[in-house]
Amino acid sequence: MKFIPEKSPFISRVALARSFILVILFGCMAVLLTAQNNTEPYKRSPLTLSSDDVLATGNEWMSLPEIRAVDGALMDFNLLSMSHRGLLQVNGAAAEPVIAPYFTVDGKPLILKNPQWQLIEYWTPIATQTTDGIEATLTWCAPPGSHGAFLRLTVTNHRTKAADAALGIHASFGSLMRVTYVPVELSGTRSIAAAAWVSPGSTFSYSTNDTEFAWSIIHPGSTSEMISPPITPSPSLITTRKATIAPGETLEANFILGAGIEEFSSSHAARALMELLDRDGATALINQTAEWCRRRTRKVNDPAVDLLMNRNYLFTRLYAWGRTIDTEQLVGITSRSPRYYVSAAYWDRDAMLWSFPALLDTDPDFAREALDYALTIQLRNTGTHSRFIDGIVLEDGFQLDEAAAPVLALGSYLRRTNDVEFLREHKKAIEFLRKRLMGRFDATSGLFSSMQDPQDEFQRLSFITVDNALVWHALNDFSEIDAKLVDVGTSAEMKRRATDLHAAILAHAVAVPPGGKEKILSSATSGRSDTGAVNSMLGGNGHDEESGEAAGQNYVFTEMPPDGLMKLPSLGFISEDDPLFIHTYE
C-alpha cells in the first residue's frame, strides 16, 4: 500500500485514511490505561489548525469528513449504500460547501476566519470566534443512532447595548458521487421541495426512474428561501434566524441534516432528530454524544497521547465501520473518508487486524457484530485482495495476511469473551477459513504461499515471513477454538502444525543480507534454504530495482510496513531480546 504524506497530524488524509493503524498498538496497551471518571466534565481538546485543514466527525450512519477549519463549512457528507457498493457522497454546487454557515450583526457580515477549534471528547468539533464584543460559536454534532447530524450556531452579545443578529446557512446540492476508491458522479435529476410532512424544512432529491436518495434540512425557528428552480443541476436554499439580542443574551439556531432512500425517510430522519432537540436541547444531545465517546475511549493522562489515541479509537469505530442506508447492514470499510485513495472497500487486514482489536477493547458486543459480518457476507472471498462491501471481488489476488486475519480476530474475541456459542453458530465458517488457509500449504518447504505481499503488490517469491507468522498465530488460534468445540484431535493437529510452521520459517526465511555479517529474518523467501545470492535491499517484489531485471534469488530484504518484521515480537513469534530479532532490527 502506498501512503500519501500530509502535514496535519490527525485530521489529514493520513489520519482519515490510516486512522485505525495505530489503534492496534493502543489496543494492546489497554491493560495499562486508566478508566475514565464519568464525574469529570466532558473533555475539550484545543486544536491548532491551518486554514487549509479539515475536521471530521459523524456516526455509524452519516459521515461528515470535511468540515473546513477556516469557517466551519461542510464541504460534503456521505452515507453507505449496499446497492451502490460503497459511499454515496453529496457535494455542494461548483466546488462550494454543501452547507455553509453565516452570521450577521447589525446588518454586517460576521465572517469566521480561522476560529478557535476544540474537540468535545475527541470527536465533536466546536469553533468559537469573538469579534467586536460578539461571540459566535459553531458545533457539528452527529448523535449516536441518529440517521443525521445537526449544526448548532449561536451568537452571544458581550457589548453594552443591544445588537440585531442573524444566523443561518446556505445549502446546495451540486452532485451525487458513488465512491469506491474513485468518485464517480451519478447521472440523475436533482431537485428541491418542501420536506414531506415536516415543517419548516426542505428536501433535496436525487432521481433516475425513481427516487434513489434524498437528504433534508429541517430548521426550526428559521425561515428559508429557495434560491433556485425546483428542478435544476444545483438546487439550493438559504435559511435565516433573526433577533435583537440584549447585552448578555444569546441567539441560537439548529439546522438538522437527515438522509434516506427517498423523500419521506429523509425528512423524517431529520424530524426525529429535531424532536430530540426540542425535548432535550442541543447541549444535552452534544453531552450524550460526548458520553457515548467517553465510554469508548481511554486515558493515559498525557494530553497529546490521549488526543491521538482516542481520535484513533473513534475513527476506527466510526470511519472503518458503518451501517448502510438501504439495508441497515453493518459493514467494514477501509475508510469513510473520500480523502483516502482506496476508500469504501473491504480489506480483511484493515478490518480484522487493524481495526478489530480496538473494537474488542472498547465494545465487545459491537466487535461480535463486526466479526459476524466478516464470517458471513465477506466470508466467501476471504483472503482476496479487496472486495466491495457486499463481498464481491473488487481487486483480485490472494494475500495470505488477509486470509489469516479473521482467524486472529476470532481467537482474540474468544479469549476476551469465552463466547463459545458464537463459535458454534459459525462452525461452518471456521472450517471454511481453515480450508482456505490449508490450501496455501507447501509440503516441500512447510510454508504457506501468497500471491501478493502486505503492500498489496505482486511478490515473485512465494513465502512471506510475517504472513507465515500470522498463519502460525492462526493455527494456534484454531487449536484453541477446536478445544472449545471439544474437538481434541483437531486441536492437537493444529498445535502440531503451528510448531512445524514456526520451525520452517526459521529454517527457510533466515539468511545473511547483502553487505551483512549476521543472519537476519528476510521479508520473503523462495522456500529454498541454500545460501546463494540474495535479493537487493532496494526491492520488495523480487526484481532488481536498478536494472529492472528479474533477480531470481532466494530472499527479499526490505520492510513491508503493513505487516512488517517489527511486528513479530507482538505476535509472540520471537522475543525482542532474541539475537536473531536484534540483528534484524539493526
Side-chain angles (χ1 to χ4, degrees):
M1 200 184 299
K2 307 168 187 67
F3 296 109
I4 304 171
E6 188 84 0
K7 62 182 178 180
S8 185
F10 60 91
I11 54 177
S12 62
R13 293 183 185 180
V14 171
L16 292 169
R18 301 182 64 192
S19 58
F20 32 77
I21 298 176
L22 289 178
V23 175
I24 190 169
L25 170 63
F26 291 120
C28 295
M29 291 171 56
V31 294
L32 304 176
L33 306 178
T34 59
Q36 292 278 51
N37 181 351
N38 287 338
T39 63
E40 295 178 357
Y42 291 113
K43 174 72 174 177
R44 291 197 177 202
S45 302
L47 306 177
T48 301
L49 306 177
S50 63
S51 58
D52 58 350
D53 278 331
V54 298
L55 297 99
T57 193
N59 58 28
E60 61 186 349
W61 296 102
M62 180 180 288
S63 292
L64 314 180
E66 296 183 288
I67 300 168
R68 200 160 59 186
V70 68
D71 60 1
L74 180 65
M75 300 307 296
D76 52 69
F77 69 90
N78 67 63
L79 300 100
L80 288 158
S81 170
M82 190 68 83
S83 60
H84 291 88
R85 299 194 177 100
L87 298 173
L88 285 180
Q89 176 179 305
V90 177
N91 297 320
E96 292 299 311
V98 172
I99 298 176
Y102 68 89
F103 303 84
T104 68
V105 177
D106 294 331
K108 298 179 180 179
L110 191 164
I111 299 173
L112 293 185
K113 292 182 178 180
N114 297 315
Q116 295 177 325
W117 284 96
Q118 295 177 309
L119 291 173
I120 304 172
E121 288 296 334
Y122 310 105
W123 193 243
T124 300
I126 177 171
T128 305
Q129 177 177 302
T130 301
T131 305
D132 297 330
I134 300 294
E135 180 184 46
T137 71
L138 174 155
T139 308
W140 282 102
C141 180
S146 174
H147 286 68
F150 70 92
L151 171 64
R152 180 197 197 186
L153 302 180
T154 70
V155 172
T156 301
N157 184 3
H158 295 297
R159 296 174 177 176
T160 58
K161 61 180 182 178
D164 294 327
L167 38 75
I169 61 169
H170 177 270
S172 66
F173 187 13
S175 63
L176 183 67
M177 300 283 191
R178 176 189 60 80
V179 182
T180 305
Y181 292 8
V182 178
V184 176
E185 185 171 352
L186 300 179
S187 298
T189 300
R190 291 181 294 277
S191 60
I192 185 172
W197 294 3
V198 184
S199 180
S202 301
T203 296
F204 296 85
S205 300
Y206 170 82
S207 304
T208 52
N209 61 322
D210 191 6
T211 303
E212 291 190 30
F213 174 75
W215 59 283
S216 297
I217 295 286
I218 307 299
H219 43 85
S222 301
T223 60
S224 69
E225 177 186 359
M226 295 182 189
I227 54 177
S228 67
I231 300 176
T232 179
S234 300
S236 57
L237 64 82
I238 189 168
T239 70
T240 306
R241 184 171 190 181
K242 299 178 180 180
T244 299
I245 50 176
E249 286 187 343
T250 297
L251 174 63
E252 175 181 334
N254 294 300
F255 304 92
I256 301 121
L257 172 63
I261 58 174
E262 48 74 64
E263 291 83 359
F264 274 76
S265 58
S266 164
S267 60
H268 283 261
R271 176 180 176 174
L273 183 50
M274 177 187 70
E275 290 168 345
L276 287 175
L277 284 164
D278 181 58
R279 184 177 68 188
D280 299 330
T283 298
L285 286 188
I286 292 168
N287 287 343
Q288 289 170 21
T289 304
E291 181 60 33
W292 186 94
C293 293
R294 173 181 278 182
R295 292 197 301 269
R296 291 160 178 81
T297 52
R298 298 288 187 268
K299 287 173 61 177
V300 295
N301 295 318
D302 180 324
V305 173
D306 284 347
L307 177 59
L308 177 63
M309 174 178 65
N310 289 319
R311 195 74 168 140
N312 274 278
Y313 264 128
L314 294 168
F315 265 120
T316 201
R317 173 61 186 270
L318 296 170
Y319 271 67
W321 298 89
R323 298 191 186 276
T324 59
I325 193 173
D326 50 348
T327 67
E328 302 184 348
Q329 168 69 50
L330 177 71
V331 298
I333 47 176
T334 43
S335 177
R336 292 172 70 179
S337 168
R339 291 192 159 212
Y340 192 18
Y341 72 110
V342 286
S343 63
Y346 181 83
W347 294 17
D348 296 294
R349 179 182 61 237
D350 295 44
M352 296 286 103
L353 288 184
W354 293 354
S355 177
F356 188 82
L359 303 183
L360 187 59
D361 184 49
T362 56
D363 193 339
D365 289 340
F366 186 82
R368 188 184 201 273
E369 189 177 359
L371 190 54
D372 180 79
Y373 168 72
L375 298 182
T376 53
I377 292 174
Q378 291 293 344
L379 178 67
R380 65 184 180 275
N381 287 313
T382 300
T384 303
H385 180 173
S386 68
R387 281 99 74 192
F388 292 99
I389 59 175
D390 61 358
I392 292 175
V393 171
L394 174 57
E395 296 172 277
D396 208 349
F398 182 83
Q399 295 185 209
L400 188 61
D401 59 335
E402 303 226 45
V407 185
L408 270 66
L410 183 59
S412 63
Y413 175 76
L414 177 62
R415 287 185 289 274
R416 176 67 176 265
T417 66
N418 197 35
D419 187 354
V420 179
E421 182 60 32
F422 185 84
L423 300 183
R424 296 192 186 103
E425 292 174 3
H426 294 86
K427 191 171 182 179
K428 289 185 178 179
I430 293 168
E431 291 310 311
F432 178 90
L433 293 174
R434 193 196 319 261
K435 184 177 181 180
R436 188 91 162 158
L437 275 179
M438 295 311 300
R440 308 301 301 192
F441 179 67
D442 174 67
T444 301
S445 64
L447 299 172
F448 289 73
S449 67
S450 185
M451 192 69 180
Q452 297 175 348
D453 65 24
Q455 297 180 119
D456 315 306
E457 301 291 346
F458 169 66
Q459 175 54 250
R460 183 176 295 276
L461 304 187
S462 301
F463 307 110
I464 299 165
T465 303
V466 177
D467 288 3
N468 271 269
L470 289 170
V471 175
W472 166 81
H473 199 299
L475 293 172
N476 282 306
D477 287 334
F478 274 132
S479 180
E480 292 185 40
I481 291 166
D482 294 328
K484 289 290 184 181
L485 293 172
V486 199
D487 188 345
V488 178
T490 307
S491 176
E493 180 189 354
M494 292 296 102
K495 179 62 72 174
R496 177 187 61 78
R497 284 185 174 274
T499 301
D500 291 347
L501 178 57
H502 193 281
I505 294 170
L506 295 180
H508 296 296
V510 175
V512 178
K517 297 180 179 179
E518 302 286 351
K519 288 186 175 182
I520 70 170
L521 287 154
S522 63
S523 296
T525 175
S526 65
R528 298 189 298 274
S529 55
D530 61 82
T531 56
V534 294
N535 193 17
S536 167
M537 295 180 70
L538 297 174
N541 59 0
H543 286 70
D544 187 319
E545 295 289 319
E546 291 180 318
S547 67
E549 298 176 357
Q553 299 158 346
N554 293 336
Y555 302 96
V556 170
F557 293 95
T558 184
E559 186 68 324
M560 300 176 184
D563 284 327
L565 293 167
M566 297 304 102
K567 292 183 179 179
L568 289 175
S570 68
L571 291 172
F573 182 84
I574 193 171
S575 67
E576 289 185 0
D577 56 3
D578 188 297
L580 178 60
F581 181 76
I582 291 173
H583 295 317
T584 303
Y585 180 88
E586 290 172 347

